[in-house]
Amino acid sequence: MAVTWDIGSYDGTKTVGSLSDVITTVHWNASDKDGDHTGYCYGSVKLAEADAESFIALASVTKDNLIAWAKDAIGANEVTAIETRIATQITESKTPTTFSGVPS
């Protein structure tokens, strides 16, 4: 099992200083699966201010860039916490500790 990170979409600003089409927010999701059991988490993160020296033009931005930027903005500790929550969801799905129902 390994958590897979993906990008749903991104938001940007047309002009930031001398830069054009700057991505400012990434909407991400992360998931894992073990047989019929899945775990999932999603969110949005605002990226650090664009840096002209390391700027990548929008047409050249890849999904891998966006995932790396999102994880950097989220921070290593929170990335670990998200992946742990996903693993916990899978464990709970396999061996539930709670239940719910409706009265008859």
Side-chain angles (χ1 to χ4, degrees):
M1 292 186 342
V3 173
T4 301
W5 288 76
D6 200 4
I7 302 301
S9 63
Y10 55 82
D11 303 321
T13 301
K14 292 300 270 176
T15 305
V16 176
S18 63
L19 304 175
S20 297
D21 298 327
V22 177
I23 297 172
T24 56
T25 302
V26 175
H27 305 277
W28 56 268
N29 59 74
S31 62
D32 197 1
K33 183 174 184 171
D34 185 3
D36 293 337
H37 307 279
T38 60
Y40 184 80
C41 190
Y42 65 93
S44 300
V45 65
K46 184 169 175 48
L47 301 179
E49 193 167 316
D51 174 8
E53 291 181 24
S54 61
F55 183 74
I56 299 174
L58 183 59
S60 298
V61 172
T62 66
K63 182 167 65 169
D64 288 341
N65 293 134
L66 293 166
I67 290 168
W69 296 342
K71 285 181 163 183
D72 285 347
I74 292 167
N77 289 341
E78 185 60 20
V79 167
T80 299
I82 289 165
E83 292 181 350
T84 299
R85 282 195 298 272
I86 291 169
T88 300
Q89 291 173 6
I90 292 170
T91 299
E92 177 66 20
S93 176
K94 289 179 178 180
T95 54
T97 59
T98 61
F99 65 91
S100 59
V102 295
S104 41

